[in-house]
PDB file of all heavy atoms in Angstrom:
ATOM      1  N   GLU A  52     -58.857 -81.904  46.368  1.00 97.00           N
ATOM      2  CA  GLU A  52     -58.517 -80.923  47.401  1.00 97.00           C
ATOM      3  C   GLU A  52     -58.363 -79.505  46.868  1.00 97.00           C
ATOM      4  O   GLU A  52     -58.455 -78.550  47.635  1.00 97.00           O
ATOM      5  CB  GLU A  52     -57.270 -81.342  48.170  1.00 97.00           C
ATOM      6  CG  GLU A  52     -55.989 -81.199  47.398  1.00 97.00           C
ATOM      7  CD  GLU A  52     -54.793 -81.825  48.106  1.00 97.00           C
ATOM      8  OE1 GLU A  52     -54.926 -82.919  48.666  1.00 97.00           O
ATOM      9  OE2 GLU A  52     -53.726 -81.201  48.073  1.00 97.00           O
ATOM     10  N   THR A  53     -58.148 -79.344  45.560  1.00 97.00           N
ATOM     11  CA  THR A  53     -58.035 -78.001  44.994  1.00 97.00           C
ATOM     12  C   THR A  53     -59.345 -77.507  44.393  1.00 97.00           C
ATOM     13  O   THR A  53     -59.413 -76.388  43.886  1.00 97.00           O
ATOM     14  CB  THR A  53     -56.913 -77.927  43.934  1.00 97.00           C
ATOM     15  OG1 THR A  53     -57.173 -78.882  42.904  1.00 97.00           O
ATOM     16  CG2 THR A  53     -55.544 -78.171  44.566  1.00 97.00           C
ATOM     17  N   ALA A  54     -60.384 -78.343  44.453  1.00 96.00           N
ATOM     18  CA  ALA A  54     -61.725 -77.888  44.073  1.00 96.00           C
ATOM     19  C   ALA A  54     -62.260 -77.030  45.223  1.00 96.00           C
ATOM     20  O   ALA A  54     -61.860 -77.195  46.384  1.00 96.00           O
ATOM     21  CB  ALA A  54     -62.642 -79.075  43.829  1.00 96.00           C
ATOM     22  N   HIS A  55     -63.159 -76.126  44.914  1.00 96.00           N
ATOM     23  CA  HIS A  55     -63.740 -75.266  45.935  1.00 96.00           C
ATOM     24  C   HIS A  55     -64.276 -76.145  47.070  1.00 96.00           C
ATOM     25  O   HIS A  55     -64.918 -77.162  46.814  1.00 96.00           O
ATOM     26  CB  HIS A  55     -64.865 -74.424  45.332  1.00 96.00           C
ATOM     27  CG  HIS A  55     -65.301 -73.307  46.201  1.00 96.00           C
ATOM     28  ND1 HIS A  55     -66.187 -73.480  47.226  1.00 96.00           N
ATOM     29  CD2 HIS A  55     -64.937 -71.999  46.209  1.00 96.00           C
ATOM     30  CE1 HIS A  55     -66.380 -72.324  47.835  1.00 96.00           C
ATOM     31  NE2 HIS A  55     -65.628 -71.398  47.229  1.00 96.00           N
ATOM     32  N   PRO A  56     -64.022 -75.773  48.319  1.00 96.00           N
ATOM     33  CA  PRO A  56     -64.454 -76.605  49.453  1.00 96.00           C
ATOM     34  C   PRO A  56     -65.939 -76.967  49.432  1.00 96.00           C
ATOM     35  O   PRO A  56     -66.312 -78.066  49.862  1.00 96.00           O
ATOM     36  CB  PRO A  56     -64.113 -75.744  50.674  1.00 96.00           C
ATOM     37  CG  PRO A  56     -62.953 -74.916  50.224  1.00 96.00           C
ATOM     38  CD  PRO A  56     -63.232 -74.623  48.766  1.00 96.00           C
ATOM     39  N   SER A  57     -66.794 -76.100  48.921  1.00 94.00           N
ATOM     40  CA  SER A  57     -68.228 -76.419  48.861  1.00 94.00           C
ATOM     41  C   SER A  57     -68.526 -77.544  47.878  1.00 94.00           C
ATOM     42  O   SER A  57     -69.561 -78.201  47.981  1.00 94.00           O
ATOM     43  CB  SER A  57     -69.034 -75.178  48.489  1.00 94.00           C
ATOM     44  OG  SER A  57     -68.755 -74.783  47.155  1.00 94.00           O
ATOM     45  N   GLN A  58     -67.630 -77.792  46.917  1.00 92.00           N
ATOM     46  CA  GLN A  58     -67.847 -78.827  45.902  1.00 92.00           C
ATOM     47  C   GLN A  58     -67.218 -80.168  46.273  1.00 92.00           C
ATOM     48  O   GLN A  58     -67.640 -81.209  45.761  1.00 92.00           O
ATOM     49  CB  GLN A  58     -67.266 -78.375  44.562  1.00 92.00           C
ATOM     50  CG  GLN A  58     -67.909 -77.152  44.005  1.00 92.00           C
ATOM     51  CD  GLN A  58     -67.171 -76.619  42.798  1.00 92.00           C
ATOM     52  OE1 GLN A  58     -66.180 -77.175  42.354  1.00 92.00           O
ATOM     53  NE2 GLN A  58     -67.644 -75.517  42.264  1.00 92.00           N
ATOM     54  N   GLN A  59     -66.216 -80.146  47.119  1.00 94.00           N
ATOM     55  CA  GLN A  59     -65.451 -81.351  47.412  1.00 94.00           C
ATOM     56  C   GLN A  59     -66.310 -82.541  47.828  1.00 94.00           C
ATOM     57  O   GLN A  59     -66.099 -83.654  47.326  1.00 94.00           O
ATOM     58  CB  GLN A  59     -64.372 -81.057  48.458  1.00 94.00           C
ATOM     59  CG  GLN A  59     -63.275 -80.175  47.906  1.00 94.00           C
ATOM     60  CD  GLN A  59     -62.257 -79.769  48.951  1.00 94.00           C
ATOM     61  OE1 GLN A  59     -62.249 -80.259  50.074  1.00 94.00           O
ATOM     62  NE2 GLN A  59     -61.384 -78.845  48.583  1.00 94.00           N
ATOM     63  N   PRO A  60     -67.312 -82.376  48.710  1.00 94.00           N
ATOM     64  CA  PRO A  60     -68.108 -83.539  49.123  1.00 94.00           C
ATOM     65  C   PRO A  60     -68.933 -84.164  47.995  1.00 94.00           C
ATOM     66  O   PRO A  60     -69.326 -85.318  48.088  1.00 94.00           O
ATOM     67  CB  PRO A  60     -69.032 -82.990  50.210  1.00 94.00           C
ATOM     68  CG  PRO A  60     -68.426 -81.704  50.642  1.00 94.00           C
ATOM     69  CD  PRO A  60     -67.667 -81.178  49.460  1.00 94.00           C
ATOM     70  N   THR A  61     -69.191 -83.413  46.938  1.00 92.00           N
ATOM     71  CA  THR A  61     -70.046 -83.913  45.859  1.00 92.00           C
ATOM     72  C   THR A  61     -69.262 -84.550  44.713  1.00 92.00           C
ATOM     73  O   THR A  61     -69.858 -85.113  43.800  1.00 92.00           O
ATOM     74  CB  THR A  61     -70.913 -82.783  45.278  1.00 92.00           C
ATOM     75  OG1 THR A  61     -70.058 -81.825  44.641  1.00 92.00           O
ATOM     76  CG2 THR A  61     -71.730 -82.097  46.367  1.00 92.00           C
ATOM     77  N   LEU A  62     -67.945 -84.472  44.749  1.00 93.00           N
ATOM     78  CA  LEU A  62     -67.139 -84.994  43.647  1.00 93.00           C
ATOM     79  C   LEU A  62     -67.072 -86.515  43.702  1.00 93.00           C
ATOM     80  O   LEU A  62     -66.941 -87.102  44.768  1.00 93.00           O
ATOM     81  CB  LEU A  62     -65.736 -84.386  43.682  1.00 93.00           C
ATOM     82  CG  LEU A  62     -65.695 -82.872  43.485  1.00 93.00           C
ATOM     83  CD1 LEU A  62     -64.282 -82.342  43.666  1.00 93.00           C
ATOM     84  CD2 LEU A  62     -66.231 -82.487  42.121  1.00 93.00           C
ATOM     85  N   ASP A  63     -67.152 -87.133  42.536  1.00 92.00           N
ATOM     86  CA  ASP A  63     -67.116 -88.591  42.408  1.00 92.00           C
ATOM     87  C   ASP A  63     -65.683 -89.014  42.085  1.00 92.00           C
ATOM     88  O   ASP A  63     -65.252 -88.967  40.927  1.00 92.00           O
ATOM     89  CB  ASP A  63     -68.084 -89.025  41.312  1.00 92.00           C
ATOM     90  CG  ASP A  63     -68.169 -90.529  41.130  1.00 92.00           C
ATOM     91  OD1 ASP A  63     -67.316 -91.268  41.665  1.00 92.00           O
ATOM     92  OD2 ASP A  63     -69.110 -90.961  40.434  1.00 92.00           O
ATOM     93  N   GLU A  64     -64.950 -89.422  43.110  1.00 94.00           N
ATOM     94  CA  GLU A  64     -63.534 -89.749  42.944  1.00 94.00           C
ATOM     95  C   GLU A  64     -63.312 -90.850  41.907  1.00 94.00           C
ATOM     96  O   GLU A  64     -62.397 -90.760  41.080  1.00 94.00           O
ATOM     97  CB  GLU A  64     -62.926 -90.164  44.281  1.00 94.00           C
ATOM     98  CG  GLU A  64     -61.447 -90.463  44.182  1.00 94.00           C
ATOM     99  CD  GLU A  64     -60.821 -90.797  45.519  1.00 94.00           C
ATOM    100  OE1 GLU A  64     -61.435 -90.554  46.564  1.00 94.00           O
ATOM    101  OE2 GLU A  64     -59.683 -91.311  45.492  1.00 94.00           O
ATOM    102  N   ALA A  65     -64.134 -91.879  41.920  1.00 93.00           N
ATOM    103  CA  ALA A  65     -63.965 -92.991  40.971  1.00 93.00           C
ATOM    104  C   ALA A  65     -64.149 -92.515  39.530  1.00 93.00           C
ATOM    105  O   ALA A  65     -63.393 -92.924  38.641  1.00 93.00           O
ATOM    106  CB  ALA A  65     -64.937 -94.120  41.296  1.00 93.00           C
TER     107      ALA A  65
END
Side-chain angles (χ1 to χ4, degrees):
E52 73 189 42
T53 58
H55 193 278
S57 67
Q58 297 171 1
Q59 291 175 9
T61 66
L62 297 175
D63 182 347
E64 182 177 346

